Amino acid sequence: MRVPKGQVLYRPDDECSGFVVVHAGTIKVSLTAENGREIVLYRVRPGEICLQTFGCLVNGTRYSAEAVAETEIELDVIPLAAFQQRIAADAPFRAQLFSAVASRFADLERLVEEVALASIEQRLARALLRLADPDHRVGATHERLATEIGSARAVVSRQLGTFARDGLIELARGHIELRDHAGLALLANAGE
């Protein structure tokens, strides 16, 4: 299947139609709290698995998060019966699947650790470095950055202002330019 950028693949309480195998593109999986705040749990790229889908298929539950095509995606959906058969009969598939699940759990542990233990300054510096393109530009809104780090837009805006005053970034219309990559990296790794 080909899925256009921006299409919702599933929402909370949707049934799972099968195991998703991404061949090209990126899926963003996020949770939204009752107060409307959103946090990105992880992204699914080629060779990675959607932990939400895996959990739904293995436990017979419904989705608890939302998945959106962050880019145009090319994917296959393996129906439940075929997925179960491959787990039982295909040892390389099973090994690859379990390795991917373990890797995804490690990603979620890092997310919990970061949200619970890292400062806003650290989390925002890490997000800017992670999202920067080769020209050291980040084309993300303050709202998107807040979603990336599990914070509020106003908090992110204040911290970006501080980074700009300190010469680490330059705020421009529609993007952020990283001016001091090394300085941001020091902030991102502070306390480690």
Side-chain angles (χ1 to χ4, degrees), residues 23-100:
H23 297 293
T26 305
I27 299 169
K28 178 181 76 169
V29 179
S30 59
L31 276 177
T32 303
E34 286 184 23
N35 66 5
R37 283 201 29 212
E38 179 184 8
I39 186 167
V40 175
L41 296 175
Y42 53 86
R43 287 178 170 81
V44 183
R45 296 176 180 93
E48 299 176 342
I49 69 153
C50 177
L51 204 51
Q52 280 278 314
T53 300
F54 177 78
C56 291
L57 291 173
V58 170
N59 294 321
T61 58
R62 293 174 179 261
Y63 287 110
S64 61
E66 179 178 83
V68 176
E70 196 165 52
T71 65
E72 182 177 307
I73 321 169
E74 186 177 314
L75 57 83
D76 288 330
V77 178
I78 302 172
L80 176 59
F83 173 71
Q84 290 172 332
Q85 182 181 23
R86 284 193 72 184
I87 288 176
D90 187 340
F93 175 78
R94 187 173 52 249
Q96 180 183 12
L97 176 68
F98 290 162
S99 175

Side-chain angles (χ1 to χ4, degrees), residues 119-181:
S119 69
I120 292 293
E121 183 178 65
Q122 283 178 300
R123 290 166 32 208
L124 185 56
R126 290 173 185 167
L128 290 170
L129 293 168
R130 183 177 62 248
L131 297 171
D133 66 19
D135 295 325
H136 304 288
R137 289 181 163 202
V138 176
T141 65
H142 294 199
E143 185 68 36
R144 178 172 171 219
L145 288 169
T147 298
E148 287 288 328
I149 67 168
S151 186
R153 189 199 58 75
V155 173
V156 167
S157 295
R158 280 193 300 274
Q159 189 61 57
L160 287 172
T162 300
F163 284 176
R165 282 189 299 281
D166 292 345
L168 298 169
I169 64 170
E170 182 180 324
L171 298 171
R173 186 171 181 88
H175 69 277
I176 299 163
E177 294 194 31
L178 306 188
R179 292 291 183 206
D180 184 354
H181 197 275

